[in-house]
Amino acid sequence: MTTIEAICIGDELLEGRTRDANAAALGEYLASRGHALSRARFVRDDPDEIVAALRESVADVVVVGGGLGPTSDDRTRDAAAQFAQCDLVTHEPSLLHIASRFASREQDFTSNNHRQALFPQSATPLPTEVGTAPGFTLQDGRRLLMFFPGVPHEYLWFVERYIGPRFAVRAEFERTMLVFHGLGESALAATIADIVDAAEQGGQIVGFRAAYPVIELKLAGERAAVAETRAKVLERLGDWCVGEDDESLPARLGRQLVARGESVTTAESCTAGGIAALLTEVGGSSAWFERGYVTYANAAKVAEVGVLESTLAVHGAVSAQTVCQMAAGARRRADATYALAVSGIAGPGGGTPEKPVGTVHFALATNEGTFHRRVHYQRASRSKVRAGTAYTALAMLLAFLERGPASMGHAWDDHEIWAPTGIPASEET
């Protein structure tokens, strides 16, 4: 099997000023076609270090990214010439192409841009349709060295144009990803440990990735085997699955709402519009999401979604009573089929023994009643509380749409929600 390695060039990568995207993009691209990246290395903008990395590589194909720009710290082409033991020479077609790109943008073509048309004499230039920097290849015995620009969108273009033909999709190869919310990584893995063991023994690749607030499970291998493993996993964990492959949780909700001809609105306190932002990441979301309400202050909860002042006085903003009134009021005001509401303490301050930091109340208002949940995000940062809250709210609606009211627990009617003293605490679910 042909092996492939990535070498990523740049002081900024090793100093933390820039996060690498290129090795990840190459690995993802190869994996989607049934191949694997054997190794990724990070090297400074130092010709000697780059040459050493090229000599140490044992892969069949080495993809070098970065250092092909016009500035003094772009030294990859110099290192490549040093490695190949030849001079840098001007490639006239590349020079003309670069000059024309500058002319089309009405920008000056300066002397340092000429560097991007310099290649080791034994190299084969790789024309580009993005940016100004061409790539090039060097043959070193059986090894092929490929040099790409380091700008992420340019790098990915080169990967698709020049790596793709060499690494075609493997026959009968299948790769899928299931996304889960509501279970921790260890609990999820333990629940399907026997399924994973059987899959791996059969030659499939199984990988878990915690990408808070979700857990991703990737399966790769022979098509029929992957389909069988997927079915077994969903039979056991389907209630926690909120997305699959390219369909995110918001997209899955949108598909369900469009099919039903229904809509949703939001009333948000601690997430400050985060739920609405997730919903509207999906193209065409205006078909099922018209408006939402951000009601951070108590006065806004009263004015915007009709929470009773008496409810706030007796139970406080972070309570089942308040959040249920937020949801019911938003649903009425927006004339939506559903309303999601949240109110909580994201921290780092504001908690009490009765309502510690990380306490969040959720409500889903429907034509079958208003449903409530309370979650405590323990030892979570403010950003994690807010991110987890937004996903939990959407997962709550998804559960209602796909599994019905029975998955929600107790529902309150309007009389209970709008009673002057609110909902008795003993009825919280």
Side-chain angles (χ1 to χ4, degrees):
M1 179 180 292
T2 302
T3 56
I4 185 167
E5 176 182 331
I7 297 178
C8 302
I9 309 297
D11 291 350
E12 68 278 7
L13 298 172
L14 292 166
E15 294 170 359
R17 290 184 281 123
T18 300
R19 293 187 177 184
D20 169 69
N22 294 338
L26 177 58
E28 177 75 13
Y29 182 80
L30 291 170
S32 71
R33 302 166 79 83
H35 304 280
L37 183 64
S38 61
R39 185 169 66 161
R41 303 181 63 185
F42 299 90
V43 180
R44 292 191 177 278
D45 290 305
D46 180 279
D48 291 337
E49 292 189 26
I50 297 171
V51 170
L54 294 175
R55 288 174 177 166
E56 291 168 8
S57 172
V58 295
D60 300 309
V61 178
V62 182
V63 180
V64 183
L68 299 184
T71 59
S72 60
D73 62 344
D74 291 310
R75 297 167 179 156
T76 300
R77 68 184 69 255
D78 303 281
Q82 182 180 333
F83 171 80
Q85 298 181 327
C86 62
D87 295 329
L88 288 172
V89 296
T90 300
H91 184 248
E92 292 296 336
S94 295
L95 184 61
L96 290 172
H97 172 77
I98 296 168
S100 68
R101 293 275 294 187
F102 275 84
S104 67
R105 300 172 183 176
E106 298 183 351
Q107 296 175 336
D108 292 334
F109 180 74
T110 58
S111 59
N112 61 348
N113 293 117
H114 180 275
R115 280 180 51 79
Q116 294 183 294
L118 294 175
F119 301 95
Q121 195 167 19
S122 58
T124 301
L126 299 175
T128 180
E129 295 175 10
V130 293
T132 57
F136 60 93
T137 64
L138 285 171
Q139 195 72 42
D140 178 46
R142 65 173 181 82
R143 296 192 308 153
L144 178 66
L145 310 178
M146 310 184 78
F147 296 80
F148 298 163
V151 179
H153 79 274
E154 296 181 31
Y155 182 94
L156 182 57
W157 183 89
F158 274 83
V159 167
E160 293 174 344
R161 172 62 64 89
Y162 296 109
I163 296 291
R166 296 177 179 275
F167 292 88
V169 178
R170 285 169 46 199
E172 294 303 312
F173 171 79
E174 182 71 24
R175 183 170 180 261
T176 191
M177 180 175 71
L178 302 174
V179 181
F180 299 91
H181 175 74
L183 276 181
E185 186 177 14
S186 58
L188 189 151
T191 304
I192 58 172
D194 57 323
I195 299 174
V196 170
D197 287 344
E200 291 179 334
Q201 289 173 14
Q204 294 177 59
I205 299 172
V206 182
F208 294 90
R209 176 175 176 260
Y212 188 86
V214 299
I215 306 295
E216 297 173 354
L217 173 65
K218 291 187 179 181
L219 306 171
E222 191 273 327
R223 184 171 291 118
V226 168
E228 181 180 355
T229 300
R230 172 188 172 278
K232 290 179 179 178
V233 169
L234 289 178
E235 184 178 3
R236 200 169 293 180
L237 290 173
D239 287 354
W240 287 272
C241 184
V242 297
E244 186 169 355
D245 295 328
D246 293 331
E247 186 178 54
S248 64
L249 170 54
R252 184 164 168 172
L253 280 174
R255 174 169 56 83
Q256 295 271 8
L257 292 168
V258 167
R260 295 163 175 258
E262 297 175 337
S263 60
V264 63
T265 188
T266 56
E268 305 181 55
S269 185
C270 61
T271 47
I275 302 172
L278 282 177
L279 288 169
T280 54
E281 283 181 356
V282 182
S285 53
S286 59
W288 40 272
F289 180 83
E290 182 180 297
R291 72 187 73 179
Y293 305 91
V294 177
T295 56
Y296 234 63
N298 285 353
K301 293 177 176 64
V302 174
E304 296 297 320
V305 292
V307 175
L308 298 176
E309 292 183 351
S310 58
T311 299
L312 291 164
V314 174
H315 301 287
V318 182
S319 65
Q321 294 80 2
T322 293
V323 80
C324 285
Q325 288 187 6
M326 288 169 64
R331 179 172 179 261
R332 287 177 171 176
R333 182 165 181 181
D335 192 25
T337 316
Y338 307 102
L340 288 167
V342 295
S343 185
I345 305 168
T352 67
E354 295 76 25
K355 298 177 183 179
V357 169
T359 299
V360 181
H361 287 268
F362 300 79
L364 169 62
T366 76
N367 59 8
E368 299 186 52
T370 298
F371 303 88
H372 167 257
R373 281 191 67 187
R374 177 186 177 278
V375 174
H376 180 210
Y377 298 93
Q378 299 184 43
R379 296 180 296 278
S381 65
R382 179 178 179 84
S383 61
K384 283 196 170 184
V385 170
R386 286 157 61 104
T389 296
Y391 263 81
T392 298
L394 296 190
M396 190 174 178
L397 176 57
L398 183 69
F400 182 88
L401 294 177
E402 295 189 345
R403 303 197 299 278
S407 66
M408 296 287 103
H410 177 73
W412 294 296
D413 60 27
D414 271 4
H415 172 73
E416 292 174 302
I417 291 174
W418 298 97
T421 56
I423 305 163
S426 61
E427 290 198 53
E428 291 188 15
T429 60

